[in-house]
Amino acid sequence: MRAAAPPANDSAHGGTRPARELAGLRARLADAEETLRAIRGGEVDAVVVAGKVGSQVFTLQGAEHAYRVLIESMNEGALTLKSDKMILYANQCFARMVKCPLEQLTGTSFRRFLSAEDRATLRRLMKRAAKSGAKIQVLLHAGDGSQLPVQISIRPLATNGINRAAIGMVVTDLTAARRNEQLLRALTHRVVQVQETERGRVALELHDHITQLLCAVLVRSQVLADRLSAHDGPSKREAMKLRAMLGQTAEEVERISRDLRPSVLDELGLDAVMRDTSTDFEERTGVSVKLACVELTARLPADTELSLYRILQEALKNVEQHARARRVTVCLKQQGKFVQLAINDDGIGFDPDHQRRRKGNGSLGLLSMRERAAYMGGDLKVKSARRAGTEIEVRIPLPPGGRAAK
Ligand SMILES: Nc1ncnc2c1ncn2[C@@H]1O[C@H](COP(=O)(O)OP(=O)(O)OP(=O)(O)O)[C@@H](O)[C@H]1O
Ligand SMILES: [Mg+2]
């Protein structure tokens, strides 16, 4: 504990009497200024005042004062609220965030800075926060009409009176974080676009050149096999085998080319490519696929079609690699202003929360599906539980006017 000492006695100073008195008064003034500075800075938690009956100690609620200095100087908003969300205390930083004079904040409701939707979310969250605290991201509606994305960290406070603070909040400005997120998303999208262009180029090369060459060799090998007579026994069998292997290779190259970029998608659209993909998947894996699509009356924008196709591809890859499923259902339909794609499997399922916590394990499938949906202004939900199968549901907004023109 540091205490401010009583002012110095001036009788020790030398010189003429008025000069001595003046010097004494200056010294006391300097002492008083230094004491005030120390009190404001939180360096002092008690003041000793000399009086007729001896020295008296006045405490300044030491620890609380130090915390107040900390809270006032921090770069985040801090508030205490009553249980009805009336503000009892707010720091300068919060006043700056909501562009309101500090003195007008005390006694008003915190709810005035939230939208109706965020108020409802906060109300629901408070029940949970009452036990262990909670975090929520909302838009703060500032006094001048502007909006600020923030994260609110809520802690219940011990209460012992009706007019006491029941809730403590720390409000963090997310503007910079959101800007970085947007930049990162734009960069990811650019990488995906470049990757798609490259995939398209390789697919075309495979389809137009390699597959054509393989077909020509296939025809020649057939001619060779036909020309060999039954007397050429082993040679004819070799030629037949060669022809069969070339046939398989051509099919495999064609499959790789389709996976890279199916020409059907560009030429005939999403419905057609979904049918092809499902048939391929069934034949390769033995898992049955039921297509429950409500046919769309017109083509979706090329970006949306490609995103939905890639999400389906990634989801089916996961079914093949992880699900041990017997049946998959794929459903595409229009829902209001959205197009919705759902992929269900009856496999072993998994715990999505646990999966999300295992960040940095190199798994990119679900992340890339989410990113594709988010970039198109949509969202992706994963519903899964152990031994209860998995559902991937993606919703992407349709362009204004409902559909893209054919
Ligand atoms: N349909 C599913 N059934 C069961 N588990 C699944 C299913 N889909 C995903 N998972 C689980 O979620 C994890 C993450 O999937 P994700 O697609 O993100 O990565 P990955 O498949 O492991 O690797 P990558 O897709 O990058 O090759 C998987 O490892 C698996 O444990
Ligand atoms: Mg995967």
Side-chain angles (χ1 to χ4, degrees):
M1 164 174 143
R2 180 178 162 192
N9 189 336
D10 61 349
S11 62
H13 293 270
T16 62
R17 197 155 177 262
R20 274 203 311 277
E21 273 178 10
L22 189 61
L25 284 171
R26 281 212 180 104
R28 285 170 67 181
L29 185 62
D31 268 354
E33 277 176 353
E34 167 58 16
T35 305
L36 280 174
R37 188 202 60 74
I39 291 170
R40 280 201 202 102
E43 295 167 26
V44 170
D45 45 24
V47 181
V48 183
V49 178
K52 284 181 191 143
V53 288
S55 294
Q56 267 185 293
V57 177
F58 292 90
T59 63
L60 293 174
Q61 298 182 335
E64 202 176 292
H65 186 74
Y67 286 135
R68 190 171 286 258
V69 171
L70 170 71
I71 283 171
E72 278 304 332
S73 59
M74 69 190 210
N75 234 349
E76 276 163 305
L79 303 140
T80 55
L81 313 180
K82 278 173 48 178
S83 51
D84 62 1
K85 315 219 180 47
M86 196 239 262
I87 299 175
L88 289 176
Y89 165 77
N91 69 355
Q92 279 290 354
C93 182
F94 181 74
R96 279 195 300 275
M97 283 175 168
V98 290
K99 300 194 176 74
C100 248
L102 190 56
E103 55 280 8
Q104 286 178 17
L105 286 176
T106 310
T108 56
S109 173
F110 178 72
R111 290 156 44 87
R112 67 184 259 214
F113 301 113
L114 301 178
S115 68
E117 197 184 330
D118 284 339
R119 279 181 211 171
T121 316
L122 184 67
R123 199 177 317 121
R124 281 197 301 277
L125 202 74
M126 286 316 249
K127 293 196 183 104
R128 193 150 31 101
K131 283 195 197 114
S132 55
K135 284 184 181 167
I136 177 180
Q137 295 195 355
V138 296
L139 276 180
L140 272 189
H141 293 243
D144 66 350
S146 61
Q147 297 182 349
L148 186 75
V150 294
Q151 172 166 283
I152 304 178
S153 179
I154 306 162
R155 290 301 303 186
L157 303 174
T159 49
N160 49 7
I162 38 168
N163 275 326
R164 304 302 290 264
I167 306 154
M169 280 183 178
V170 173
V171 184
T172 309
D173 184 351
L174 295 180
T175 311
R178 287 279 159 86
R179 201 178 311 124
N180 290 343
E181 253 171 47
Q182 275 170 4
L183 281 176
L184 201 61
R185 183 150 286 155
L187 185 68
T188 312
H189 185 67
R190 187 79 198 100
V191 172
V192 169
Q193 273 182 328
V194 171
Q195 189 194 41
E196 287 293 352
T197 311
E198 194 54 17
R199 280 178 169 191
R201 195 186 62 75
V202 176
L204 208 68
E205 288 280 315
L206 286 177
H207 182 74
D208 286 1
H209 299 120
I210 311 291
T211 313
Q212 303 301 329
L213 273 175
L214 278 171
C215 286
V217 179
L218 190 67
V219 173
R220 291 269 168 112
S221 67
Q222 181 67 57
V223 172
L224 181 66
D226 290 347
R227 283 194 184 155
L228 289 168
S229 70
H231 301 297
D232 300 311
S235 304
K236 185 164 175 104
R237 274 199 297 282
E238 272 312 301
M240 298 291 280
K241 261 194 221 157
L242 185 67
R243 202 209 72 90
M245 282 169 72
L246 279 169
Q248 280 171 5
T249 310
E251 271 174 26
E252 190 62 8
V253 171
E254 192 52 30
R255 189 188 63 77
I256 293 170
S257 162
R258 265 203 317 276
D259 264 8
L260 281 170
R261 179 71 188 232
S263 51
V264 176
L265 179 62
D266 299 319
E267 286 155 17
L268 299 176
L270 194 57
D271 289 344
V273 82
M274 282 173 64
R275 274 195 302 277
D276 280 9
T277 307
S278 306
T279 313
D280 267 6
F281 181 80
E282 269 184 333
E283 283 172 2
R284 201 179 59 256
T285 62
V287 179
S288 87
V289 181
K290 184 175 162 210
L291 272 180
C293 300
V294 178
E295 204 175 316
L296 305 175
T297 49
R299 293 280 301 262
L300 296 166
D303 255 16
T304 311
E305 285 196 336
L306 185 58
S307 296
L308 289 171
Y309 168 65
R310 291 295 183 211
I311 289 169
L312 173 67
Q313 237 185 349
E314 203 63 53
L316 288 178
K317 194 173 114 194
N318 275 352
V319 173
E320 185 176 354
Q321 290 178 340
H322 311 293
R324 285 186 244 153
R326 285 187 303 156
R327 266 185 295 277
V328 176
T329 307
V330 179
C331 175
L332 178 79
K333 61 182 174 192
Q334 186 181 346
Q335 272 231 317
K337 292 181 178 157
F338 291 85
V339 57
Q340 180 181 307
L341 172 69
I343 304 122
N344 276 283
D345 71 62
D346 64 351
I348 56 171
F350 68 107
D351 176 356
D353 289 336
H354 178 250
Q355 176 56 35
R356 216 171 292 133
R357 285 194 296 272
R358 285 175 56 215
K359 280 181 191 149
N361 61 356
S363 293
L364 291 176
L366 292 171
L367 185 68
S368 72
M369 289 190 233
R370 267 206 185 88
E371 278 305 308
R372 281 195 188 264
Y375 195 81
M376 302 304 301
D379 59 21
L380 182 130
K381 287 186 195 134
V382 180
K383 295 177 208 160
S384 187
R386 295 200 189 282
R387 288 187 290 281
T390 300
E391 180 180 57
I392 306 286
E393 187 188 283
V394 56
R395 274 162 33 107
I396 294 183
L398 289 163
R403 296 274 169 74
K406 257 192 201 249

